[in-house]
Amino acid sequence: MNILEKIREHAYLTPERTVMICGSRRLTWQQLWTWSDRLAAWIAAVEQDKAPVAVYGHKNPWMLVCFLACVKSGRAYCPIDISVPDERVKMILEALPSGIVLTTETLQFAADQETACGKRIIGCRDLEEIFQREDLEAPGADQWVKSDETYYIIFTSGSTGTPKGVQITADCLGHYLDWSVGLGTSPEQKAGQVFLNQAPFSFDLSVMDLYTCLACGGTLFCLEKQVQADYGRLLESLEVSEANVWVSTPSFADVCLSDPKFDQKLLPGLQVFLFCGETLGNRTARKLQERFPGAVVVNTYGPTESTVAVTDVLVTPELAAADHALPVGRTKPGTRIEIHDTDGKSVPEGEKGEIIIIGDTVSTGYYRQEELTKKAFFTVGESRAYHTGDEGYLRDGMLYYCGRIDLQIKLHGYRIELEDIENNIRRLPQISHAVVIPNQRGGKVSSLTAYVVLNEHARKLQEDCGIGLQTAESAVVQEKQFSSPGTGDLQSGAVSEKQSGGGYIPEDEKVMSARLKECLAAFLPSYMIPKKFVFLNQMPMTNNGKADRKLLGGKKA
């Protein structure tokens, strides 16, 4: 798929249709196409080389205009969200040789707002003037980014502390979109629909909603950072969004599910949930299926280095009710997955190893970082391949994700996968979210701490009534029995609700911890059961919508 040609087609057929909504700001398809043409002409006139251009801001519709303007001028764009710390922003800007930075928000560290890291700042006033200039002649289609040229660069965390820029080509994006338009529902069903945007544009999950929406001629409804931080405003925004396609991390869905008002009545037009970026738990899938009987749930998997996602599976009620973790699906056309051992050899089906992605959406490498590129990328025949650093296994053509290899630890001589423990804790019906953090002593892991968010089922715990925690085998039964928190049958509780956010803090945390450990002992060996449980009202999340492990690791357990 040539996405620019698709966008031009939609702009011609539905010029007055809204392509993007963010708060009170709206952008039509005609404005998107015309303004990006003019800005592309301006960029081509002032920039001699075709170096990637940084675009700084937060979900402003003009950011989308800037993205298209860059690629129409033959240059990749690099999105930077306002949530990115100043020092990291400086690192990214210094890594890009372009002489300009397009901004829709104030760069706080730029004292005069004229330059930043030696680059000329093109702010909102400048952009508005350029958009109105009818004398600027759009570059021809022959000037657009195409084929194996870099379309966008997203900077991700580097182990050395320096961010690394993942280069995604026009072909990578096109191959991805050929597949993504059919996820969950057909391209015909998605035509003209409203797509929900949760992730900032500097997080590659946003590519799933942004570009799939553009390919389908839809409308992107953005949830700003401050809206997501205010639960009342969040539900109000969801209600008015009229969203048909939901794209988010599972953690974000868990936050929404903490409120019983989050259901089909709130979003009557919702047809499909698309998840990526984190492990989707069985319980989350079951709750979504119960609350949104008219929608389907799709689980996907993939790293930034292979253009968002490469596998998908439709999560059926039977799959969600199983006592094993959800699979992440079968590979898309043009991609194959191999599982390698530590020697780089393929392992038999069912055996765990590193997930290797080979195919037509694999990145060309990290921007201007040859050594890192050589370590992570290689070729198989004529296809690019990537070492994901993720562990998984294949069974009957279906991929199962087991966690990050770098989240594996050794405790008392045992090799332990932290995400394996987390998935098992989430099997308990009283748990909404769980993150396990290793505690270090003398350079070695000495114990494990589980940070958990209890849900409404925890309110049913009463020692005097003999109601205790149930094991995962009875989770589905209990969820049906206690489908809503209710109040008439509650006595003085063992669990108290504190502030908004959906979590419940037990009055006797030691008793609750002991019961959780007893329950986990039914399906986890003793060395995998966390020594301590810390109860949170709400799991802290990064700006990308993932659980904030770094913040939790910095807390005193």
Side-chain angles (χ1 to χ4, degrees):
M1 177 186 299
N2 185 318
I3 186 58
L4 287 179
E5 288 182 355
K6 272 286 185 183
I7 296 170
R8 178 169 60 183
E9 177 185 332
H10 293 310
Y12 175 77
L13 294 174
T14 58
E16 299 307 315
R17 180 179 176 82
T18 300
V19 66
M20 183 172 169
I21 301 171
C22 188
S24 60
R25 296 167 296 190
R26 290 173 178 256
L27 182 74
T28 68
W29 280 89
Q30 183 179 50
Q31 289 170 333
L32 172 62
W33 191 256
T34 301
W35 292 353
S36 60
D37 269 350
R38 293 171 181 173
L39 181 57
W42 183 88
I43 293 172
V46 300
E47 285 288 282
Q48 297 304 309
D49 59 20
K50 291 193 174 181
V53 177
V55 180
Y56 178 85
H58 181 65
K59 302 194 178 187
N60 188 311
W62 287 7
M63 289 187 77
L64 179 51
V65 176
C66 292
F67 296 166
L68 296 194
C70 291
V71 294
K72 282 182 177 182
S73 75
R75 295 158 177 80
Y77 71 87
C78 174
I80 308 175
D81 191 71
I82 59 171
S83 60
V84 177
D86 286 350
E87 287 305 310
R88 188 178 175 87
V89 174
K90 291 177 185 178
M91 287 183 184
I92 295 173
L93 292 181
E94 288 168 355
L96 302 175
S98 170
I100 60 172
V101 52
L102 308 177
T103 68
T104 62
E105 305 282 346
T106 301
L107 278 165
Q108 297 296 336
F109 63 83
D112 57 7
Q113 291 304 302
E114 295 291 332
T115 60
C117 300
K119 302 180 190 301
R120 178 183 170 189
I121 296 176
I122 309 302
C124 286
R125 183 176 298 176
D126 303 306
L127 292 173
E128 187 171 15
E129 290 177 359
I130 294 168
F131 295 164
Q132 303 309 314
R133 285 184 55 181
E134 296 182 6
D135 61 305
L136 291 170
E137 187 175 343
D142 60 324
Q143 297 298 310
W144 297 350
V145 167
K146 55 188 174 295
S147 303
D148 227 17
E149 296 173 346
T150 303
Y151 189 99
Y152 67 78
I153 299 174
I154 286 182
F155 277 81
T156 63
S157 297
S159 58
T160 62
T162 301
K164 51 190 179 184
V166 181
Q167 303 174 112
I168 299 299
T169 69
D171 277 349
C172 285
L173 180 59
H175 293 315
Y176 167 75
L177 292 173
D178 287 336
W179 168 72
S180 72
V181 294
L183 289 175
T185 55
S186 70
E188 292 74 24
Q189 287 175 288
K190 288 191 179 75
Q193 290 194 327
V194 177
F195 288 67
L196 192 73
N197 162 263
Q198 171 247 322
F201 294 138
S202 56
F203 181 28
D204 77 315
L205 177 61
S206 66
V207 173
M208 181 178 283
D209 49 72
L210 171 58
Y211 279 103
T212 308
C213 175
L214 293 177
C216 295
T219 299
L220 190 72
F221 188 94
C222 297
L223 296 173
E224 294 174 282
K225 180 181 177 181
Q226 58 267 38
V227 171
Q228 294 185 40
D230 184 329
Y231 200 77
R233 290 180 64 189
L234 173 58
L235 284 186
E236 290 174 2
S237 294
L238 290 174
E239 186 172 20
V240 301
S241 72
E242 300 182 346
N244 307 112
V245 181
W246 175 288
V247 179
S248 83
T249 59
S251 288
F252 182 74
D254 284 331
V255 169
C256 296
L257 283 167
S258 66
D259 194 308
K261 292 192 293 292
F262 180 68
D263 60 14
Q264 197 90 58
K265 292 180 181 178
L266 186 77
L267 291 163
L270 198 61
Q271 297 179 10
V272 57
F273 286 93
L274 300 178
F275 291 109
C276 197
E278 280 183 317
T279 300
L280 175 63
N282 300 60
R283 188 172 185 282
T284 298
R286 288 197 299 269
K287 291 187 75 172
L288 289 171
Q289 289 164 347
E290 291 169 6
R291 302 247 195 119
F292 296 86
V296 296
V297 178
V298 177
N299 195 20
T300 72
Y301 161 82
T304 306
E305 286 84 349
S306 192
T307 320
V308 189
V310 293
T311 70
D312 74 295
V313 60
L314 180 65
V315 181
T316 63
E318 294 75 21
L319 203 55
D323 60 0
H324 57 73
L326 294 173
V328 293
R330 301 182 189 280
T331 54
K332 69 171 187 61
T335 296
R336 82 173 190 270
I337 281 177
E338 294 181 0
I339 307 299
H340 288 186
D341 60 19
T342 54
D343 295 323
K345 297 179 180 178
S346 294
V347 302
E349 181 173 294
E351 188 173 318
K352 293 181 180 180
E354 184 185 15
I355 299 171
I356 304 296
I357 298 175
I358 306 162
D360 59 13
T361 57
V362 172
S363 165
T364 52
Y366 300 118
Y367 183 68
R368 293 189 165 185
Q369 296 194 55
E370 292 185 10
E371 290 304 313
L372 284 177
T373 297
K374 288 178 182 178
K375 289 180 181 179
F377 297 90
F378 59 107
T379 58
V380 176
E382 296 183 357
S383 299
R384 291 192 294 268
Y386 173 64
H387 289 282
T388 66
D390 294 332
E391 185 178 59
Y393 63 92
L394 291 166
R395 181 176 293 163
D396 298 325
M398 192 79 76
L399 178 66
Y400 289 79
Y401 169 80
C402 301
R404 288 289 303 168
I405 291 174
D406 56 14
L407 283 178
Q408 293 176 354
I409 62 165
K410 271 202 171 182
L411 177 63
H412 306 316
Y414 293 100
R415 182 186 176 208
I416 297 173
E417 297 165 2
L418 297 180
E419 287 171 296
D420 185 9
I421 302 174
E422 293 167 359
N423 288 335
N424 277 286
I425 294 175
R426 293 189 194 108
R427 290 168 66 187
L428 300 179
Q430 291 83 8
I431 302 295
S432 287
H433 208 161
V435 170
V436 176
I437 300 295
N439 303 310
Q440 302 274 346
R441 179 177 295 174
K444 295 183 179 180
V445 176
S446 58
S447 64
L448 302 174
T449 296
Y451 293 84
V452 300
V453 178
L454 298 173
N455 58 43
E456 64 269 18
H457 303 303
R459 297 176 64 178
K460 300 293 180 179
L461 292 175
Q462 299 171 72
E463 288 184 84
D464 54 348
C465 293
I467 300 176
L469 285 173
Q470 298 184 26
T471 57
E473 286 71 16
S474 60
V476 177
V477 175
Q478 192 195 42
E479 284 192 63
K480 292 178 179 177
Q481 182 181 358
F482 298 150
S483 57
S484 60
T487 54
D489 57 346
L490 293 177
Q491 301 176 18
S492 57
V495 178
S496 61
E497 183 177 3
K498 295 186 179 180
Q499 62 188 350
S500 62
Y504 298 89
I505 309 299
E507 292 179 358
D508 193 330
E509 297 189 15
K510 289 185 178 180
V511 171
M512 180 64 78
S513 296
R515 291 189 176 183
L516 286 170
K517 292 177 183 179
E518 289 172 10
C519 199
L520 288 171
F523 43 87
L524 278 182
S526 58
Y527 64 84
M528 290 180 68
I529 297 175
K531 181 179 180 180
K532 183 170 184 176
F533 283 80
V534 176
F535 301 97
L536 305 174
N537 176 261
Q538 187 171 319
M539 189 65 66
M541 293 193 295
T542 66
N543 293 306
N544 293 340
K546 296 184 179 183
D548 195 333
R549 293 179 181 274
K550 185 176 181 180
L551 179 63
L552 292 175
K555 288 178 176 288
K556 279 195 172 182

